[in-house]
Amino acid sequence: MSPILGIIASQNYPRVTASYDSIATLSGNGSSSQLTFSSIPNTYTHLQIRLIVRGTRALATEQLYVRLNGDGGSNYFFHFLYGDGSGAAAGGSSSTVILLNEMPAGNETASVFSTSVVDVLDYTNSNKNTTLRSLSGYNNNGNTANYNDKVWFASGLWINTAAVTSVTVLSNGPFATGSSVALYGIKG
Amino acid sequence: MAAGATYEPISTTTLGSTAATVTLSSIPGNYTDLILVISATVSGATTIHYRLNSDASTNYSVTVLQGNGSTVSSFRGSNEDNIGFGVFYTTQNNSITHLQNYSNTTTYKTLLTRYNNAGNLVGTRVALWRSTAAISSIYLYLDGSETFGSGSTFTLYGIAAA
């Protein structure tokens, strides 16, 4: 979940220096399977990516991934824990990507999108490998033809100490129109 | 890339006495996402229920993953008249709920929450409200005659994407 922010909650308090900035937003167009934030400023401490996405292919679901700095090598590890409404399952792997979750695709109930909140922690630090965590999921009201909706925790490791300068959200098929991926910077 | 400060507090409700329900209304539509942070006690172990825009029809469904220290479980509910979006106990409870793209009028609404009570359980849920309406109010209530404790806080934040 989100890093702890020192936010003054009450409207009765004076505004403090802003610590959470919107950087950019990318949208699905029905043809692109990759959405990339590039030239990410190094003036923040953490990044947060907030997604609402759906695939277009004639499938029930598509896997949703993250890749950093365009690195397509086998330099990632990920783990996940999910609940599918009947039981919990876990897994993990080394890979060329970090798996976040499975999003609904073309055969899923119309107008259903999955949402994710992804935290990329200490992304500019050149002394440590980059880690991220996410909470994701969608629900399809018990559509038993596509009993694939789940709620997910995921964590990922990029085995590289370079500062993160680009983030790519990708899938094996196009993102549907209406999909949106927003990047935020958190100051520390 | 354009940058803009966001994550703004919209409202805070702090209970001065026990209450059976809490309503967050007249939610402005000029943000991209909402985040509802709850820090509360309750009179007895209970599910916390959500209704959006006063919709009491069976337009809600939820998938749950939670653990109580010895057992992990997952279950779902479909065609329900509310979202059962966490379990609260008499000791301090916390939940953070994300309502992304809440003001769009073309898609159903997907909500994500994470909740915990340190002495009892930790969990996460994803819910669907089968409505394309923009979310303008959130109604919270508990099981039976249970009440939120005095001092419980309900803070709503708005995030505006670039």
Side-chain angles (χ1 to χ4, degrees):
Chain A
M1 194 53 67
S2 305
I4 296 174
L5 302 176
I7 296 171
I8 303 298
S10 172
Q11 291 176 318
N12 294 324
Y13 288 89
R15 287 289 301 274
V16 298
T17 303
S19 58
Y20 188 101
D21 290 346
S22 172
I23 298 174
T25 301
L26 301 172
S27 299
N29 59 10
S31 60
S32 176
S33 63
Q34 297 192 17
L35 299 172
T36 298
F37 298 100
S38 57
S39 302
I40 296 174
N42 62 0
T43 51
Y44 300 100
T45 302
H46 310 300
L47 300 174
Q48 185 172 88
I49 310 161
R50 303 177 67 87
L51 303 87
I52 179 164
V53 290
R54 180 183 173 102
T56 64
R57 295 199 295 172
L59 301 168
T61 62
E62 287 269 24
Q63 292 191 329
L64 181 66
Y65 312 106
V66 164
R67 185 173 279 160
L68 304 178
N69 287 17
D71 182 2
S74 298
N75 298 317
Y76 304 90
F77 284 89
F78 62 83
H79 287 87
F80 60 83
L81 168 67
Y82 69 68
D84 64 5
S86 60
S93 180
S94 60
S95 181
T96 60
V97 290
I98 294 169
L99 174 66
L100 295 181
N101 72 320
E102 296 170 342
M103 63 179 178
N107 288 352
E108 184 51 272
T109 303
S111 299
V112 171
F113 284 67
S114 71
T115 62
S116 301
V117 180
V118 183
D119 294 309
V120 185
L121 304 172
D122 212 4
Y123 73 105
T124 64
N125 193 312
S126 59
N127 296 311
K128 60 178 74 169
N129 297 320
T130 301
T131 57
L132 64 84
R133 60 178 185 176
S134 71
L135 174 64
S136 304
Y138 79 94
N139 178 280
N140 67 7
N141 192 38
N143 177 356
T144 55
N146 293 321
Y147 237 159
N148 294 304
D149 55 332
K150 303 177 180 70
V151 60
W152 292 66
F153 287 116
S155 67
L157 170 69
W158 180 42
I159 307 170
N160 193 312
T161 59
V164 174
T165 58
S166 75
V167 173
T168 300
V169 176
L170 65 156
S171 184
N172 294 317
F175 289 102
T177 300
S179 298
S180 176
V181 182
L183 179 68
Y184 299 87
I186 300 170
K187 299 174 184 175
Chain B
M1 297 180 174
T6 186
Y7 210 124
E8 300 178 2
I10 298 172
S11 67
T12 295
T13 300
T14 302
L15 299 181
S17 59
T18 62
T21 68
V22 172
T23 301
L24 309 177
S25 59
S26 302
I27 297 173
N30 57 317
Y31 297 100
T32 305
D33 300 337
L34 298 175
I35 297 178
L36 175 60
V37 179
I38 300 174
S39 179
T41 58
V42 292
S43 53
T46 174
T47 296
I48 178 168
H49 303 272
Y50 286 46
R51 279 189 179 142
L52 306 175
N53 292 16
S54 302
D55 182 2
S57 299
T58 54
N59 293 322
Y60 304 96
S61 51
V62 67
T63 304
V64 178
L65 172 66
Q66 63 186 28
N68 64 5
S70 61
T71 305
V72 62
S73 62
S74 179
F75 53 92
R76 65 170 65 239
S78 301
N79 297 308
E80 299 183 322
D81 65 8
N82 70 93
I83 303 171
F85 227 28
V87 184
F88 281 11
Y89 297 83
T90 57
T91 52
Q92 196 66 38
N93 307 274
N94 301 302
S95 73
I96 301 177
T97 298
H98 297 263
L99 302 88
Q100 290 173 232
N101 217 11
Y102 76 102
S103 62
N104 93 86
T105 55
T106 57
T107 66
Y108 292 159
K109 305 304 179 289
T110 297
L111 291 73
L112 274 174
T113 194
R114 179 171 171 173
Y115 54 96
N116 60 276
N117 177 287
N120 288 279
L121 63 71
V122 61
T124 184
R125 303 188 181 201
V126 60
L128 179 70
W129 179 42
R130 297 189 316 282
S131 170
T132 58
I135 295 173
S136 58
S137 71
I138 303 170
Y139 172 69
L140 306 169
Y141 66 99
L142 305 172
D143 293 338
S145 60
E146 304 297 352
T147 57
F148 292 107
S150 176
S152 296
T153 62
F154 307 80
T155 304
L156 188 65
Y157 298 92
I159 292 178

